[in-house]
Amino acid sequence: MSRAAFFRQRLPCAGLFLCAAAGVVLGRYVPIPGWEFAAGAAGALVAACIPAFRPALPVGVALTFAAAQAWQYRESPAVRLAACLSESPQSCEAEITVLEAPHLAATSPARRCRFAARLDRLTLGVRELRPGCDVIVAWNGEPPVYGGRYDVRASISNCPAARNPGAFDYTAWLANAGIRSALSVLRDRDARLLGVGGNPVVRFAIASRAWIERTISLGIAGTPEAQLIRAMTIGDTSDAPDSIKDAFRETGTFHLFSVSGLHVGIVAVMLWTLLGACGVSQRRSVLIIIPGLFFYALLTGLSAASVRAAVMLSIIAFGLLLDRPHVPLNSVGAAGLVILFGDTSQLFNSGFQLSFGAVTAIILLAAPLQRRVETLTAPDPFLPARLISPLRRAGCHLAVGTAGLVAVSLSAWLVSLPLIVYYFHLVSLSSIPANLLAVPLSSVCLCLASVALVAGTVSPWLAEIFNQANFLLTKILIFVVQAFASLPGSSIYVGAPQPPGTLATLTLLDAGAGGAGVLLAGRDAWIIDPGSEFFADAVTLAFLRSRGVNHLDAVVLTHGDIKHIGGFDRIAATLHPDRVFDSGLADRSPTRKRILAALAAGRERLVPANAGTTLAVNDAVRLTVLYPPPNAGGVYADDKSLVLRIEAGGFSALLLSDSGLAAEQWLLAHAAGRLPCDVVAMGRHVSGLSGDPDFLRAAHPRILITTVAPFPTSEQIRPQWAQAVRALGIDLIRQDESGAVTLTIRRGAFTVTPFLPAAGPPRIFPTSHAPHTLR
């Protein structure tokens, strides 16, 4: 097709899709009631029936989708229910209907699961509501059945807001899915089954999915290879190792790690080939393949990519039935309309944007790029074909296939790159070569998994034979991807540069009863406790990646509390710190003992840090250890917590970790001259006794930042203590109200920025060179 002919194509579905997308954006961000959008849409659509006003049709479509988005996102029953609740749990009785198959993670020792459910009835004290909206349910015990109606005693609250920068905003993701509230069922005996309903097609899909999981895992269950095969076949990535996920993500091959349009296309080709081999006519094959593709999309979770591919392939198949060629861009528009018609909020899903962006780029760019690449290896056009040797001819065919793969990968990479940087802060420089090898390998893996499923209907041991072959091929795939990921410069995480004039930023992450802090000074990155294992992976590592940190200069382990250092292994395996600072004092923490033993045998340099040790971050920023002394004692690990003093450009801060009264009294006696500072950041001692008034008078900070958690009692703040702190003229920032707190340090001033808007706007303070007076 010539370029002129390409741009003269009729693309009605593509145009309507763009109008619908514009309307959805309008409905999300313009605070107009849905009924006003609907009234405007009705007027525009009626006007469009008159030939002279036909151009009003796109306006009517846009306003229709704007109204749908306003009703779905701002005026839905879920939003009205959230207005009646808060983030504090309330005891309730409820009737729910399970909307999906609960997933019980293999690593969950307490048999906990999570699923979406429709809240049909809610009793709060004497109030009885009929919300009729979806909620997310956390369930302890034997998982419920899909379609089951349950009467439960539970607690309900609004989904808590994200509390840390850089981390995945699960609450925003749920809100985009129409869920604003969470129900918690502590024991399965608090639930009574009233009946079982649900969609029989969905129930059959759930049963089929469970059978597929069992069959493709025969003989290889529990291995990383089996988990990857399951991810590629049915989209279940929950149990895959983090190291493999990271490798696929950093090489731009993560689309293979879940069900995408590529997988749906492979399924369509296999069905077409199989039906053709069985002698089924083309017309009947189409009628079988179309519902088969949508069933596969349902089986794998109805992701945007799988639905888009199913719709596009269905349009192509209908074109074959009607003997009419399809227009790829128009098919993409039709797929987008189908998805937005079912759920307008899908437009704001990163998977939707990446899928449609990549496919559109392939349609527009792949063919021209392929032609340019082919010209580099094509033989002389004036050379007679009979003079071309078989070897050269085979090389030309291989070059054409490779050019096609390069063109497709490059097109998708170019358009996906801005979105990937925006959502994941990642630039994968190995994406194109990695995909050239990984895509064919994954295609063969999916074909082998399909053969194993067919064989499994005959004999389990026959399926196991194909699974073993797939195991070997998947091991090769993992090796290839990890080899690309391990290349220097294979991928980099990027983040916004620090504002001009900034000496350092200290971010105190909100880890509840734990602790985690990140110090960034120019190109230097330090962690002061990574937090618990879960927190380090979900929050600390995500924050570092969002700031473009690809390597750590140092990690400081303040003490042996697992909620402070449990995530060290994950951080060390990913960011490879050059140095690790630890007090070297003995305690009873098995986690700390294991970490120190591993450090003694590993590449990281373990450096002892006791009172008087100076840790130079760079020329402008330094940390000094004020406590503990080498002979410090104490019953608890908290008694031996490192106390650090940070100094930069006239700014100073004390990081007390979980140290308590004993440490504060020692500091008053031996380091009183080093205590005055601008900021004190403190955790809670296991005894609950921290922040002695005499100690705070000696430090006389402007700001006191403290961790707070509802459990245990020692992590809570006594009102009398908070009142005493404020009476000293100290501004108290509670992290249960502020979330993470970021200190931006400049010469002569520092800015305090709480993450949660409710805690107030950023505030600028002069450093201790301009002293303030305690009351």
Side-chain angles (χ1 to χ4, degrees):
M1 181 185 295
S2 68
R3 182 173 299 181
F6 179 85
F7 286 105
R8 285 201 301 266
Q9 296 178 97
R10 293 174 58 84
L11 304 171
C13 291
L16 290 175
F17 169 61
L18 292 177
C19 293
V24 172
V25 174
L26 190 70
R28 173 66 68 96
Y29 295 111
V30 177
I32 295 177
W35 69 266
E36 293 188 16
F37 282 125
L45 293 175
V46 169
C49 297
I50 303 172
F53 296 98
R54 190 66 52 83
L57 177 61
V59 177
V61 171
L63 291 178
T64 299
F65 278 86
Q69 170 63 195
W71 287 328
Q72 180 181 346
Y73 189 74
R74 295 199 305 270
E75 303 171 17
S76 67
V79 175
R80 292 194 291 271
L81 173 64
C84 302
L85 305 173
S86 68
E87 291 187 9
S88 300
Q90 303 179 55
S91 298
C92 68
E93 293 184 1
E95 183 180 319
I96 61 173
T97 301
V98 181
L99 299 178
E100 61 184 359
H103 177 74
L104 180 66
T107 57
S108 176
R111 297 185 63 77
R112 296 173 182 167
C113 61
R114 191 175 290 265
F115 55 89
R118 186 178 67 248
L119 183 60
D120 300 312
R121 178 183 56 81
L122 176 66
T123 303
L124 291 169
V126 297
R127 287 192 302 165
E128 182 165 314
L129 307 174
R130 299 279 179 176
C133 63
D134 294 351
V135 294
I136 193 73
V137 181
W139 184 288
N140 293 331
E142 190 66 27
V145 297
Y146 163 74
R149 291 188 302 109
Y150 290 87
D151 196 0
V152 300
R153 293 193 302 273
S155 61
I156 190 169
S157 62
N158 287 335
C159 298
R163 308 187 62 82
N164 292 285
F168 173 65
D169 194 341
Y170 183 58
T171 297
W173 184 85
L174 287 175
N176 198 57
I179 296 175
R180 303 295 182 117
S181 304
L183 201 70
S184 178
V185 180
L186 294 179
R187 301 177 296 262
D188 53 6
R189 65 173 178 268
D190 290 336
R192 178 170 59 91
L193 181 62
L194 303 176
V196 178
N199 190 315
V201 176
V202 176
R203 183 176 293 106
F204 178 66
I206 291 172
S208 301
R209 181 186 176 99
W211 176 80
I212 290 173
E213 287 185 4
R214 291 193 302 270
T215 304
I216 62 178
S217 300
L218 289 172
I220 58 173
T223 63
E225 291 76 13
Q227 292 159 351
L228 178 54
I229 292 170
R230 191 163 66 243
M232 291 190 296
T233 306
I234 57 175
D236 182 7
T237 63
S238 56
D239 297 330
D242 290 329
S243 59
I244 294 180
K245 287 183 181 180
D246 287 344
F248 275 80
R249 185 179 294 111
E250 291 169 1
T251 54
T253 54
F254 198 73
H255 63 97
L256 305 176
F257 207 77
S258 57
V259 174
S260 64
L262 173 66
H263 300 77
V264 178
I266 293 173
V267 170
V269 170
M270 289 191 297
L271 288 175
W272 183 266
T273 304
L274 179 63
L275 293 172
C278 295
V280 180
S281 68
Q282 187 179 88
R283 182 177 296 273
R284 291 182 178 177
S285 295
V286 168
L287 296 177
I288 294 173
I289 289 174
I290 290 175
L293 293 180
F294 281 100
F295 182 75
Y296 180 65
L298 174 64
L299 195 72
T300 57
L302 291 177
S303 68
S306 62
V307 174
R308 186 260 310 152
V311 173
M312 288 185 63
L313 291 170
S314 298
I315 292 172
I316 294 172
F318 273 123
L320 292 174
L321 280 181
L322 302 175
D323 198 24
R324 295 189 60 180
H326 84 288
V327 180
L329 276 180
N330 209 43
S331 300
V332 172
L337 278 175
V338 169
I339 295 175
L340 293 184
F341 184 80
D343 181 6
T344 57
S345 292
Q346 281 288 333
L347 183 67
F348 303 99
N349 188 310
S350 61
F352 179 97
Q353 296 169 13
L354 286 167
S355 174
F356 279 83
V359 171
T360 303
I362 290 170
I363 293 171
L364 296 176
L365 303 178
L369 287 173
Q370 182 174 357
R371 286 193 295 270
R372 287 186 177 275
V373 175
E374 286 176 357
T375 57
L376 302 176
T377 57
D380 189 337
F382 297 102
L383 184 66
R386 66 177 180 275
L387 297 181
I388 301 176
S389 66
L391 183 62
R392 178 67 187 280
R393 191 176 293 111
C396 290
H397 287 303
L398 178 62
V400 169
T402 303
L405 283 174
V406 170
V408 168
S409 298
L410 182 59
S411 302
W413 182 79
L414 287 172
V415 173
S416 301
L417 181 61
L419 290 171
I420 293 174
V421 170
Y422 176 76
Y423 285 112
F424 308 110
H425 317 285
L426 176 66
V427 176
S428 175
L429 302 177
S430 60
S431 176
I432 295 173
N435 274 282
L436 288 178
L437 294 178
V439 168
L441 284 172
S442 67
S443 301
V444 179
C445 289
L446 185 58
C447 292
L448 275 176
S450 302
V451 174
L453 291 174
V454 174
T457 62
V458 178
S459 171
W461 68 265
L462 189 60
E464 188 173 335
I465 292 175
F466 289 105
N467 287 343
Q468 293 293 344
N470 209 1
F471 174 87
L472 178 60
L473 193 64
T474 307
K475 184 177 283 292
I476 295 172
L477 173 61
I478 293 174
F479 172 79
V480 168
V481 172
Q482 290 182 330
F484 276 105
S486 64
L487 293 175
S490 170
S491 63
I492 56 172
Y493 285 92
V494 294
Q498 293 183 340
T502 300
L503 296 177
T505 58
L506 174 63
T507 301
L508 303 172
L509 300 171
D510 181 14
V518 176
L519 176 64
L520 302 177
R523 295 184 177 182
D524 298 292
W526 287 47
I527 285 181
I528 303 167
D529 284 343
S532 67
E533 182 178 4
F534 172 81
F535 188 87
D537 183 56
V539 178
T540 309
L541 186 57
F543 173 77
L544 289 167
R545 285 171 169 169
S546 73
R547 297 306 185 265
V549 174
N550 295 279
H551 174 76
L552 277 177
D553 295 276
V555 174
V556 179
L557 305 177
T558 61
H559 63 300
D561 189 338
I562 193 172
K563 294 180 181 178
H564 283 251
I565 66 171
F568 174 80
D569 291 341
R570 174 71 169 134
I571 295 294
T574 306
L575 297 176
H576 311 292
D578 293 328
R579 294 170 293 170
V580 179
F581 294 96
D582 179 86
S583 69
L585 300 177
D587 61 24
R588 297 180 296 178
S589 169
T591 301
R592 180 166 171 268
K593 291 177 182 177
R594 176 181 54 76
I595 290 173
L596 296 182
L599 287 172
R603 62 176 292 277
E604 292 88 357
R605 180 184 169 201
L606 180 61
V607 181
N610 297 118
T613 303
T614 298
L615 317 177
V617 178
N618 58 25
D619 293 339
V621 182
R622 68 176 181 178
L623 278 72
T624 304
V625 181
L626 301 185
Y627 182 88
N631 60 349
V635 177
Y636 303 107
D638 289 359
D639 295 323
K640 304 171 186 179
S641 297
L642 290 179
V643 174
L644 304 173
R645 179 182 175 87
I646 298 177
E647 295 174 306
F651 169 86
S652 58
L654 290 182
L655 307 184
L656 303 182
S657 188
D658 286 347
S659 60
L661 290 180
E664 294 171 1
Q665 291 169 358
W666 188 94
L667 289 168
L668 285 171
H670 299 86
R674 306 302 305 276
L675 296 184
C677 59
D678 297 293
V679 176
V680 168
M682 60 185 293
R684 313 301 299 172
H685 189 271
V686 66
S687 66
L689 301 176
S690 305
D692 181 73
D694 291 336
F695 176 82
L696 295 179
R697 287 191 185 92
H700 56 82
R702 296 178 182 275
I703 305 291
L704 173 60
I705 303 168
T706 180
T707 63
V708 186
F711 303 103
T713 306
S714 60
E715 297 291 340
Q716 300 174 12
I717 289 181
R718 299 189 306 276
Q720 299 89 340
W721 179 83
Q723 184 177 359
V725 170
R726 293 190 176 100
L728 292 172
I730 301 173
D731 192 347
L732 177 64
I733 299 179
R734 303 166 47 121
Q735 288 199 281
D736 59 336
E737 299 174 350
S738 68
V741 179
T742 298
L743 305 175
T744 305
I745 305 165
R746 300 178 181 85
R747 292 195 181 278
F750 66 98
T751 304
V752 180
T753 308
F755 182 72
L756 296 180
R763 290 176 291 168
I764 301 176
F765 297 89
T767 62
S768 53
H769 286 307
H772 75 290
T773 304
L774 283 175
R775 294 173 188 168

